[in-house]
Amino acid sequence: MGASDSRKAVRLGVFIPVGAQLLDTSCVDILASMSYEYLSLLGDLAPAPILKLAPSVKIFYIGMVKQGEPIELTANMNIQCTHNISDPEVQPGNLDILLVPGPDPSSTYEKTITDFLAAHAAKNETDILSVCTGVFLCGEAGLLKGRKVCGPRGLQSQLKAKFEGATWLGQELRWVQDGNFWSCGGVTNGNDLVSAYAREKAPFAGPLAEFGLALTDTGDRPQKYGTGQTVFTLGIVWQVVKAALIGLGRKKQE
């Protein structure tokens, strides 16, 4: 059985104009795992009532390079660009979701890039999902002012100084939603964000989301971190101290 004309279609863009963290980007696979295209490959492992709920999900990997050229991720990995930023198929109003995985936070952006993202965010029917340092790009595009925002836990001071007018919740929350803008903390918090999004938004919400999250073993972490910012910071400092002590010990052995 093929996907019928009545089956909901979800158009999902992954926007990577200057490269991104592989783990940030990979959270897209959670939604892909709830698609008709994926579940129909599982045979009896995907019960018919679940398959009936599954939307058709079309994913666009959007970059500044030409279609078919590589987009660089971390871990020495490339993915193929399916659509250039200028492609009519991915223009504002044509996507249901635009995922923004985290680039190098020191990256700079052409006006074409920020205008593209801002125009998508201006469409209420398009949800923007910002993962980790994707929040820097979203900030440059003017999406943060007046909103509740997360962003990486260890970069909250830098983000507050750079993008004024936002309510920063990244010290305590893994993810947060404000209107059609969703943002999360660092790296694998993208999994938490996408899991929460699937539980909230049609056509994923309900049994399909819970089945997909069980299948991918995601969505089990709470929105609020288990430790406060002070404990988090002290933990990082302690690891730095330990590394320094190890270095001193090795130096003495030379």
Side-chain angles (χ1 to χ4, degrees):
M1 174 183 172
S4 68
D5 292 340
S6 63
R7 188 176 298 279
K8 171 68 176 175
V10 175
R11 299 158 299 175
L12 197 172
V14 182
F15 187 35
I16 314 177
V18 295
Q21 177 91 29
L22 171 58
L23 279 173
D24 292 6
T25 310
S26 66
C27 65
V28 70
D29 200 34
I30 296 174
L31 293 181
S33 297
M34 299 177 193
S35 71
Y36 176 84
E37 290 80 3
Y38 179 81
L39 293 174
S40 62
L41 297 175
L42 301 185
D44 293 341
L45 292 177
I50 295 293
L51 193 60
K52 188 174 181 179
L53 295 176
S56 175
V57 179
K58 186 172 183 180
I59 302 177
F60 308 87
Y61 291 95
I62 308 165
M64 301 301 289
V65 297
K66 294 179 181 178
Q67 184 179 19
E69 292 186 347
I71 297 174
E72 185 177 354
L73 304 181
T74 56
N76 198 31
M77 181 174 178
N78 294 326
I79 59 173
Q80 187 178 84
C81 176
T82 65
H83 292 74
N84 180 269
I85 194 174
S86 63
D87 193 304
E89 199 171 6
V90 297
Q91 293 310 297
N94 291 338
L95 298 177
D96 300 296
I97 305 167
L98 187 61
L99 177 74
V100 185
D104 181 338
S106 65
S107 297
T108 57
Y109 306 100
E110 303 171 16
K111 190 173 184 296
T112 306
I113 293 172
T114 54
D115 284 353
F116 177 84
L117 180 53
H120 276 285
K123 302 290 184 180
N124 289 331
E125 65 270 26
T126 302
D127 292 315
I128 308 298
L129 276 54
S130 171
V131 180
C132 192
T133 54
V135 76
F136 283 89
L137 173 51
C138 292
E140 294 293 344
L143 307 191
L144 307 184
K145 193 170 184 179
R147 293 185 185 270
K148 293 178 288 186
V149 188
C150 272
R153 199 175 186 187
L155 298 178
Q156 292 294 290
S157 296
Q158 181 181 344
L159 287 165
K160 287 177 183 178
K162 188 174 180 64
F163 302 112
E164 298 179 354
T167 300
W168 291 98
L169 301 174
Q171 291 187 351
E172 57 180 302
L173 300 181
R174 288 190 168 92
W175 60 269
V176 70
Q177 174 196 3
D178 192 322
N180 69 333
F181 182 71
W182 298 63
S183 60
C184 70
V187 196
T188 57
N189 285 161
N191 292 344
D192 305 307
L193 172 66
V194 171
S195 299
Y197 179 84
R199 283 180 165 135
E200 178 72 22
K201 299 288 291 191
F204 303 104
L208 174 62
E210 297 307 324
F211 182 86
L213 296 178
L215 194 67
T216 56
D217 198 16
T218 54
D220 56 340
R221 296 199 296 190
Q223 183 178 17
K224 191 169 184 178
Y225 290 115
T227 59
Q229 185 70 12
T230 300
V231 173
F232 168 79
T233 302
L234 288 174
I236 297 296
V237 170
W238 174 233
Q239 297 308 317
V240 173
V241 171
K242 286 170 66 177
L245 293 172
I246 290 171
L248 286 173
R250 289 177 177 174
K251 191 171 182 180
K252 290 179 179 179
Q253 292 173 7
E254 291 177 357

